[in-house]
Amino acid sequence: MAGYGELRPILAGTLRTSLTTLRPPMRARHAGWNYDYGFYLPERTADGEEYRWTKQNAVAVIPAASRAVKLIVWAVRADAHHPVMARVWHDEQLVIDTVLHDNRPVSADAVIDKNPQWLMIRTYLDRTLPESQPDLGLAVQWTFAGAPTHASTSVR
């Protein structure tokens, strides 16, 4: 029977794989499956653009209509004296890292450079907004460049 010292590299490799390529959103992205966790149902802005609220942590895997995507996030803040930290990743690359003091949107452009062509977005907010019911995190909107206006941007 192998000793603990001999198993250490195997255990480390198993742990690394389970935290990276075996995570459900990574498996969904590689297999071409829709996936979301921590997102509420889609809503519409006054202009008819679709967006989704998140919980404190959220992830979505969405088929991409093009390789270029604009990500826009905002939070509804009633108190500018208590800003929130927001982070957004595309695949495993941090694309937005900001502190939100008010409800002004923050945006970033991302390129989908992997095949299959799926957007994998992950969000984090350091705390949800307790004055809202349910506890809302970020409002997230993604728009694919070259895609028709009102193109499908949600997970089905």
Side-chain angles (χ1 to χ4, degrees):
M1 177 157 182
Y4 178 71
E6 295 171 15
L7 290 176
R8 187 174 295 165
I10 296 168
L11 294 173
T14 302
L15 177 62
R16 182 181 184 282
T17 301
S18 68
L19 294 175
T20 56
T21 58
L22 288 181
R23 286 182 27 236
M26 295 296 285
R27 290 192 332 248
R29 190 200 172 293
H30 291 297
W33 304 328
N34 285 331
Y35 177 85
D36 79 299
Y37 169 82
F39 277 90
Y40 292 100
L41 294 174
E43 296 184 27
R44 298 259 177 207
T45 65
D47 296 335
E49 299 288 327
E50 188 175 289
Y51 70 96
R52 297 190 55 185
W53 286 104
T54 70
K55 295 182 180 181
Q56 187 170 9
N57 293 285
V59 63
V61 178
I62 305 109
S66 73
R67 294 219 178 257
V69 63
K70 180 178 220 58
L71 301 169
I72 303 171
V73 299
W74 66 93
V76 176
R77 298 297 308 158
D79 183 2
H81 298 292
H82 297 96
V84 292
M85 180 182 64
R87 291 188 174 141
V88 179
W89 292 262
H90 160 58
D91 280 335
E92 295 300 314
Q93 180 180 357
L94 185 64
V95 293
I96 295 175
D97 186 4
T98 191
V99 175
L100 300 171
H101 296 274
D102 53 32
N103 63 348
R104 286 181 287 184
V106 174
S107 66
D109 295 320
V111 175
I112 300 166
D113 58 357
K114 295 181 182 175
N115 287 314
Q117 189 172 308
W118 288 69
L119 170 67
M120 186 174 80
I121 181 173
R122 182 168 53 106
T123 67
Y124 167 78
L125 191 67
D126 67 343
R127 65 183 179 280
T128 57
L129 309 175
E131 64 272 6
S132 62
Q133 284 296 329
D135 286 350
L136 297 177
L138 288 172
V140 181
Q141 183 179 35
W142 50 83
T143 306
F144 296 103
T149 306
H150 305 296
S152 176
T153 58
S154 66
V155 176
R156 307 248 189 268

